[in-house]
Amino acid sequence: QVQLVESGGGLVQAGGSLKLSCAASGSISNIYGMGWYRQAPGKPRELVAAITSGGSTNYADSVKGRFAISRDNAKNTVYLQMNSLKPEDTAAYYCNANVRLTYGVKSDYWGQGTQVTVSS
């Protein structure tokens, strides 16, 4: 199986920055798309940013120009650099990866989530 371990969340003042990391490990043959989602209390989970294995990216309109997603394929790791944070960015952030396992099965995996809290 595959484990996704996130790190980098925390409490920051509005206008500040945080960088999230998510490392994948396990019986991995290949990782295709990777992404970050977030879920605030009482709201549905939403896509924040995604990146393909080739490096193409897309972002939610609410974070364009402030957040940047990147990945290190050699380390099976995806990052989310978050700048100019706003209180409305407060949420639990989840990493997602589309993975082909060494025995051929392809599936989506999720991390456990990391909390980001932005104070005004």
Side-chain angles (χ1 to χ4, degrees):
Q1 289 295 335
V2 173
Q3 298 78 42
L4 300 181
V5 179
E6 298 133 335
S7 60
L11 173 65
V12 64
Q13 288 188 332
S17 299
L18 284 174
K19 186 174 184 178
L20 305 183
S21 300
C22 172
S25 62
S27 303
I28 298 170
S29 173
N30 196 15
I31 301 179
Y32 301 98
M34 301 184 83
W36 290 94
Y37 291 71
R38 67 186 180 188
Q39 187 168 21
K43 294 187 177 181
R45 189 171 296 189
E46 63 174 358
L47 175 68
V48 176
I51 185 168
T52 68
S53 57
S56 297
T57 59
N58 70 287
Y59 296 91
D61 288 343
S62 60
V63 306
K64 283 181 181 176
R66 300 189 298 121
F67 291 11
I69 189 170
S70 61
R71 63 190 283 174
D72 184 334
N73 291 330
K75 295 181 179 180
N76 290 338
T77 299
V78 63
Y79 305 96
L80 185 67
Q81 177 67 48
M82 304 185 293
N83 300 324
S84 301
L85 283 160
K86 304 175 180 180
E88 51 264 43
D89 294 318
T90 295
Y93 283 70
Y94 297 90
C95 171
N96 172 270
N98 186 248
V99 179
R100 184 174 297 282
L101 304 180
T102 53
Y103 45 90
V105 173
K106 189 179 178 198
S107 185
D108 273 343
Y109 292 89
W110 291 90
Q112 80 285 357
T114 186
Q115 180 67 35
V116 171
T117 302
V118 184
S119 63
S120 58

